[in-house]
Each structure stands twice: as structure tokens, then as C-alpha cells.
Amino acid sequence: MLPRVLALVIGYCFGLFQTSYIYGRIHGIDIRTKGSGNAGSTNTLRTFGAKAGVIVMIGDISKCILACFVVWLIFHRSFGDIDYLLRTYAGLGCILGHNYPFYMGFRGGKGVACTAGFINSISWQMTVIGIPLFLFLFLTTHYVSLCSLSIGALLMVGTIVMGQMGLFHLAAGAQAEMYVLVAIIVAQMYIRHRGNIHRLLTHTERKTYFHHHE
């Protein structure tokens, strides 16, 4: 149990590095007072432009990759049999830290870029599928929320498929535990996007472009 708790805590600490908030403060703005009020890469893109959005997205992806890597460094020799499970705890912790940072009144982002970083940390196969899927949906619909929700679905389905194929090398109990953790990651992503889901269904969701678009 201790490695699991430590992996979760390590992930949460990495998640507290709020790239969008820090970028905004450097430019004299609290990103949470602009646009959607969300401390994430999409709101940063809309507020500061494409370059800022990309910087924040890379930062948020990287912090989750680093969290999973640090957990691997610490535990892979002694707990190699649950390596992927511990990475999942680290990923969940990082996403929770990003979404609910204690020093920001638990008002963070929606965890999409962090989730992308987690996917990169557990499966190159899902990464190879996820990148073109996200780009295709974005370029054809310009709904970032739809792209994000699709990535969440890919994570859930991909994890189960790969788990059943034995690619995570986990015992049955640990595999089921990983499924539960991934389900929590995806569920909280959908919960954080509940407003977006409503707007998508009512055709009132705002589109996002890399350049100014009337």
C-alpha cells in the first residue's frame, strides 16, 4: 500500500506546477480571471495566443511524464511487478494536483494535457493513435472539448484492451485496480467537461482556432 500512496503523492506534487497560472502571472494576469476561467492550455491559447497555448500544453504534458518517470525510478527495482499500476497512481495524482491545487483554492484545469502525458507514459500505441485522432477532430470540428473527451474514451478502451492482452504484465488483481484508477481519471475528465458536453449537445460550444477567426 505504501508505494501506491507515495506514487499518488509524488504525482500530486508534480501536478501542482501550474504552467498556465505561472505563465499568466509572468505576464501580470491571473488566467482564471480570463475567458472560461480554466487554468489550462486552451484558455491560455485563447487569452495569450497559440505560442502560449503550446508552451502551457507542453509543460502540462511533461509534468505528468516526469511524475511517472520519477515513480518508475524509485520503485521499478523493488516493485517491478506493479510498475504500470504505480505509474497509474502517479498519473492520477498529477491530474488531481493539476485540477485541484490546494494553493489555488482547488481551482485548476481539466487535466487533459496531463492525461495525454499519462498516456505517453504507459503506452506508445495509444499515443500513436491519440495524436492523429486529436488533430483530426480538432481540424475538422475545432471543438477542443470533443477532442479531449475522445482522448479520454481512447484511454479507457485502450487500457482495457491492452490489459486483457497482458501488455501491462500485471496480475489479475493489480490489473483490475489499474482499470479502476483509469476509470476515475476518465470519469473526472468527463465531470470537469460537463458544461462543455451540454454545449456540444446544444450546439453552443465555442470553437477554438490557432489564429484569430471571426
Side-chain angles (χ1 to χ4, degrees), residues 102-124:
F102 71 90
Y103 66 94
M104 291 170 58
F106 301 98
R107 289 179 56 210
K110 295 181 179 178
V112 177
C114 289
T115 300
F118 169 64
I119 291 174
N120 183 268
S121 298
I122 64 166
S123 170
W124 65 265

Side-chain angles (χ1 to χ4, degrees), residues 82-146:
I82 56 170
D83 172 36
Y84 282 95
L85 178 61
L86 294 179
R87 289 192 220 178
T88 305
Y89 272 100
L92 174 59
C94 187
I95 292 164
L96 292 176
H98 175 81
N99 291 353
Y100 309 102
F102 71 90
Y103 66 94
M104 291 170 58
F106 301 98
R107 289 179 56 210
K110 295 181 179 178
V112 177
C114 289
T115 300
F118 169 64
I119 291 174
N120 183 268
S121 298
I122 64 166
S123 170
W124 65 265
Q125 296 95 329
M126 278 192 276
T127 301
V128 168
I129 295 172
I131 292 174
L133 173 64
F134 188 98
L135 290 175
F136 172 77
L137 289 174
F138 178 76
L139 293 174
T140 55
T141 71
H142 294 283
Y143 291 131
V144 174
S145 55
L146 177 62

Side-chain angles (χ1 to χ4, degrees), residues 176-196:
E177 189 177 347
M178 182 177 179
Y179 291 162
V180 171
L181 294 177
V182 169
I184 292 172
I185 289 173
V186 176
Q188 66 82 38
M189 176 191 288
Y190 274 65
I191 290 170
R192 299 285 283 183
H193 282 83
R194 59 190 181 277
N196 303 88

Side-chain angles (χ1 to χ4, degrees), residues 145-163:
S145 55
L146 177 62
C147 303
S148 303
L149 295 169
S150 298
I151 293 302
L154 171 66
L155 171 59
M156 189 73 258
V157 174
T159 299
I160 293 174
V161 170
M162 293 183 65

